[in-house]
């Protein structure tokens, strides 16, 4: 993990889609000012903001990470690299989005005591959480489920969900995001 700020290819994706900042703001629910700061590299988006942007564009998260290249409506996977570290959640791409399988996989690191709730993903998105270190809890359908190292949970992620670590030790999990085919093969609905 490095302390690098996250830079995303927002401008490339926005230009590719032919959208203004105002239209992008409407699609994503992220303010025009914040989108402009992100494009200029003045602001590093939070994970929640990043997911809102991905959802608005109907694209996988790794479509926006700096090593990804947008080509003719699809993207070329880049090698795994450290994408984000902040004082709260660590995130590292294990497998960038691959259109053959419709999924992308990250390693997420939750510091002791950290709780992270996220907005819903696009319709039909399913997540796998597979704990590789420590003990953590996953929120789905309003219920927190305790998972230990080696445990896995698959859930519908097109509703609010969350992750928390109530122990005194770091917890880590593999997080695979599965996208339904229509999300990645069509532009919008
Ligand atoms: Mn999620």
């Amino acid at each position: 993990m490095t302390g690098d700020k996250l830079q995303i290819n927002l401008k490339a994706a926005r230009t590719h889609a032919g959208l203004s900042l105002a239209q992008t703001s409407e699609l994503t629910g992220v303010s025009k000012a914040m989108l402009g700061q992100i494009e200029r590299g003045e602001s590093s988006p939070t994970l929640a903001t990043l997911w809102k942007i991905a959802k608005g564009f109907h694209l996988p998260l790794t479509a926006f990470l700096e090593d990804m290249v947008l080509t003719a409506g699809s993207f070329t996977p880049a090698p795994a690299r450290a994408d984000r570290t902040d004082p709260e959640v660590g995130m590292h791409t294990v497998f960038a989005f691959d259109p053959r399988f419709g999924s992308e996989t990250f390693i997420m690191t939750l510091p002791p005591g950290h709780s992270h709730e996220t907005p819903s993903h696009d319709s039909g998105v399913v997540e796998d959480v597979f704990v590789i270190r420590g003990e953590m809890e996953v929120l789905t359908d309003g219920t927190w489920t305790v998972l230990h190292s080696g445990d896995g949970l698959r859930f519908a992620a097109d509703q609010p969900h969350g992750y928390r670590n109530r122990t005194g030790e770091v917890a880590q999990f593999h997080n695979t995001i599965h996208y339904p085919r229509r999300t990645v093969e069509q532009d919008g609905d």
Side-chain angles (χ1 to χ4, degrees):
M1 296 280 183
T2 70
D4 291 349
K5 280 175 71 176
L6 178 66
Q7 301 273 316
I8 66 168
N9 285 332
L10 175 57
K11 189 155 194 179
R14 186 169 69 76
T15 306
H16 181 81
L19 295 170
S20 68
L21 273 179
Q23 289 168 318
T24 305
S25 176
E26 275 176 38
L27 275 177
T28 60
V30 177
S31 75
K32 243 174 77 177
M34 175 57 71
L35 291 170
Q37 286 173 20
I38 292 168
E39 285 195 359
R40 293 189 299 273
E42 295 166 9
S43 185
S44 188
T46 64
L47 207 47
T49 298
L50 196 48
W51 278 117
K52 281 187 188 175
I53 292 171
K55 183 183 179 184
F57 278 90
H58 303 288
L59 286 173
L61 193 68
T62 46
F64 292 92
L65 302 178
E66 62 187 5
D67 288 350
M68 305 295 292
V69 180
L70 276 167
T71 51
S74 65
F75 7 84
T76 306
R81 55 177 286 280
D83 294 312
R84 180 186 183 79
T85 304
D86 65 27
E88 302 196 320
V89 181
M91 181 180 175
H92 176 87
T93 302
V94 181
F95 298 117
F97 179 78
D98 187 325
R100 291 176 300 169
F101 310 118
S103 64
E104 58 189 351
T105 300
F106 306 98
I107 290 181
M108 306 294 291
T109 304
L110 296 176
H114 182 75
S115 183
H116 179 70
E117 293 190 31
T118 73
S120 58
H121 298 294
D122 223 348
S123 174
V125 170
V126 168
E127 277 192 35
D128 294 341
V129 167
F130 180 78
V131 184
I132 55 177
R133 178 180 172 190
E135 177 190 309
M136 61 174 286
E137 292 165 67
V138 176
L139 175 69
T140 58
D141 288 324
T143 302
W144 289 98
T145 302
V146 179
L147 300 174
H148 301 92
S149 181
D151 289 343
L153 184 69
R154 174 170 291 171
F155 59 93
D158 50 5
Q159 57 179 323
H161 52 285
Y163 324 96
R164 74 182 178 191
N165 175 4
R166 296 204 292 177
T167 75
E169 308 290 329
V170 166
Q172 274 187 320
F173 61 104
H174 283 158
N175 190 198
T176 296
I177 319 294
H178 302 277
Y179 296 88
R181 292 217 170 265
R182 62 182 164 71
T183 298
V184 296
E185 286 179 353
Q186 297 173 7
D187 284 328
D189 294 322

